[in-house]
Amino acid sequence: MVMNMGRDAEQGVVELAYQPVVADYAAALRERRSFNRAGRLQKVALVLIALAWALDLGLAVGGGDTNMFLLIWMPLMVALLWFQPWLTARQVLKAAARNGVFRATVSDAGLTVVTEHSSTSVGFAAQPRYRETKELFVLYSDDKNATCFTVLPKRGVAHPAEVDRLREILDRNLTRV
């Protein structure tokens, strides 16, 4: 019976070890766009800029009076908005890469992330929402722009079954968005 209790306690903790990459942070930032206010505004801006550009291009092709400045700069604005998560992720990775390998421990009490230079404990109350992608779990703060987030890449677990255990812990303690 004591062995069974130890196994139950062991199943309540998942450990990850990973080196962050740009794709981790870019995916977290892209996912954040889908449920925060700033992300929704960016999507609307992308559509409006693309429609204005198509209208201006149609006028230019049809021989009407058009603004060449807009024909050149609108695609650039769309590209900047589209690639903004990736560009931001590159900057975040520069800071994170200095810390070396990340070792995260997730339990019902919260999560702890330890690196070569730092240690951080985060209670689930500080980041009460999460999102799952094919490659990661991302925990988000509950402010309207989800400014704080923690990335937990699935590649960091020692065994694929631990991904299911991690999902169970997160489902018990957080809200999926």
Side-chain angles (χ1 to χ4, degrees):
M1 181 143 167
V2 172
M3 290 176 63
N4 187 22
M5 285 174 51
R7 192 175 322 131
D8 288 344
E10 183 181 297
Q11 288 181 352
V13 175
V14 176
E15 294 181 352
L16 299 92
Y18 57 93
Q19 181 73 41
V21 295
V22 170
D24 295 340
Y25 295 117
L29 292 166
R30 272 193 311 274
E31 289 298 318
R32 183 177 73 169
R33 265 187 181 176
S34 64
F35 67 86
N36 76 353
R37 183 177 178 198
R40 289 190 299 269
L41 289 174
Q42 282 182 353
K43 286 180 183 179
V44 169
L46 276 170
V47 170
L48 292 176
I49 292 170
L51 287 173
W53 182 79
L55 180 63
D56 206 30
L57 181 63
L59 286 172
V61 170
D65 189 26
T66 186
N67 187 339
M68 292 306 287
F69 179 79
L70 293 178
L71 280 177
I72 295 168
W73 285 101
M74 281 187 193
L76 179 61
M77 290 301 297
V78 168
L80 284 173
L81 285 172
W82 185 265
F83 288 109
Q84 181 264 336
W86 182 77
L87 295 169
T88 303
R90 287 186 45 173
Q91 296 302 313
V92 172
L93 183 66
K94 285 180 185 180
R98 289 183 240 143
N99 291 317
V101 175
F102 283 53
R103 299 187 188 290
T105 304
V106 183
S107 70
D108 285 317
L111 70 111
T112 301
V113 180
V114 178
T115 70
E116 188 176 312
H117 303 292
S118 66
S119 174
T120 304
S121 292
V122 179
F124 288 131
Q127 294 180 345
R129 326 181 263 184
Y130 87 98
R131 194 150 207 161
E132 181 179 2
T133 70
K134 182 180 176 186
E135 308 279 329
L136 340 147
F137 292 98
V138 186
L139 286 64
Y140 294 100
S141 60
D142 62 351
D143 58 290
K144 67 180 179 180
N145 287 319
T147 52
C148 297
F149 61 91
T150 302
V151 176
L152 300 172
K154 293 178 181 178
R155 70 177 182 282
V157 298
H159 190 273
E162 291 183 341
V163 171
D164 294 330
R165 287 183 28 226
L166 178 56
R167 185 180 302 110
E168 289 171 6
I169 292 170
L170 297 178
D171 282 338
R172 272 195 308 269
N173 296 286
L174 304 175
T175 303
R176 190 183 290 242
V177 290

